[in-house]
């Protein structure tokens, strides 16, 4: 425990988050595609070293980030965007979060409260304990069941929604763990540097511009500093940068 709390970070959810009701225990590694960042984190947790752990999280992040790159390319292609996807990928930062959903004796509320991610995309990988639920347009909660042990869940975040001019809605999701077993998940969260603008081709008479250009970092700050108790459940993008 002492080791985990050393992983401090000024941004909420980027460092260590102790387990509180309605949320998992989490450890964040910012810029985890960079080996030296994984090394820094590993040294913090294991002052005597743990090369294997470092290699595993680094190679995991690299593979998952490549999957993210493929997804972004697919997004550009599927909307027939002429602009190159490289600038978006080059401005992408990756945060890896290690999440543990453990159950203390008699505890009933194990999971993650419903929310929308403040990312561009989130890639989730879990151990065999299910729990992730997505709300459909009709308001029904469906459980994510990986089709194979190597499946990832891909979640569109608020920034993707703004970039796509609402063509892609950010996913409203939660985690409800009913199993007695611990659930572990690895989340790779993507954040963009600089100013994010809606893709030009996705704005036309039928789809007028919904969001003004904004900075992803400022969105995170806006969200963290909001005292609105419903901020997890509303489209905060409308308040933050809606046209
Ligand atoms: O544990 C999961 O599968 C989802 C976690 C999640 O929604 C998040 O960290 O934003
Ligand atoms: Fe999430």
């Amino acid at each position: 425990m002492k080791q985990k709390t050393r992983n401090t970070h000024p941004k909420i959810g980027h460092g260590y988050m102790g387990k509180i009701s309605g949320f998992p225990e989490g450890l964040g590694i910012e810029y985890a595609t960079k080996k030296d960042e994984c090394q820094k984190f590993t040294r913090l947790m294991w002052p005597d070293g743990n090369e294997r752990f470092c290699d595993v999280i680094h190679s995991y992040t690299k593979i998952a980030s490549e999957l993210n790159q493929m997804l972004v390319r697919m997004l550009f292609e599927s909307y027939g965007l002429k602009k190159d996807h490289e600038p978006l990928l080059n401005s992408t930062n990756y945060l890896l979060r290690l999440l543990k959903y453990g159950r203390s004796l008699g505890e009933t509320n194990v999971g993650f409260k419903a929310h929308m991610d403040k990312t561009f995309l989130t890639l989730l990988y879990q151990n065999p304990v299910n729990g992730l639920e997505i709300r459909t347009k009709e308001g029904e909660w469906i459980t994510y069941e990986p089709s194979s042990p190597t499946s990832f869940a891909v979640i569109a975040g608020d920034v993707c929604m703004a970039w796509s001019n609402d063509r892609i809605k950010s996913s409203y999701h939660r985690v409800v763990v009913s199993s007695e077993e611990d659930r572990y998940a690895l989340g790779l969260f993507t954040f963009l540097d600089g100013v994010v603008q809606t893709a030009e081709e996705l704005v036309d008479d039928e789809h007028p511009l919904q969001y003004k250009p904004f900075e992803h970092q400022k969105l995170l700050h806006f969200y963290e500093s909001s005292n609105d108790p419903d901020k997890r459940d509303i489209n905060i993008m409308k308040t933050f940068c809606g046209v």
Side-chain angles (χ1 to χ4, degrees), residues 51 76 86 171 202 234:
E51 229 11 71
F76 273 70
E86 284 300 326
S171 153
L202 301 180
I234 56 166

Side-chain angles (χ1 to χ4, degrees), residues 6-20:
R6 285 194 201 156
N7 185 39
T8 56
H9 198 289
K11 278 185 244 155
I12 290 173
H14 281 56
Y16 176 69
M17 292 230 315
K19 195 181 161 341
I20 49 170

Side-chain angles (χ1 to χ4, degrees), residues 56 139 141:
V56 168
W141 286 101

Side-chain angles (χ1 to χ4, degrees), residues 97 99 101 112 115 117 124 132 173 175 183 185 189:
R97 291 193 75 210
L99 302 170
Y101 299 80
F112 205 130
H115 64 280
D117 288 357
L124 292 166
L132 176 64
H173 58 285
V175 178
R183 177 173 187 272
F189 300 83

Side-chain angles (χ1 to χ4, degrees), residues 18 68 73 99-100 130 139 154 161 209 224:
N68 176 70
R73 279 201 298 274
L99 302 170
K100 178 182 179 186
N130 282 349
V154 178
M161 176 168 75
L209 182 69
E224 277 157 26

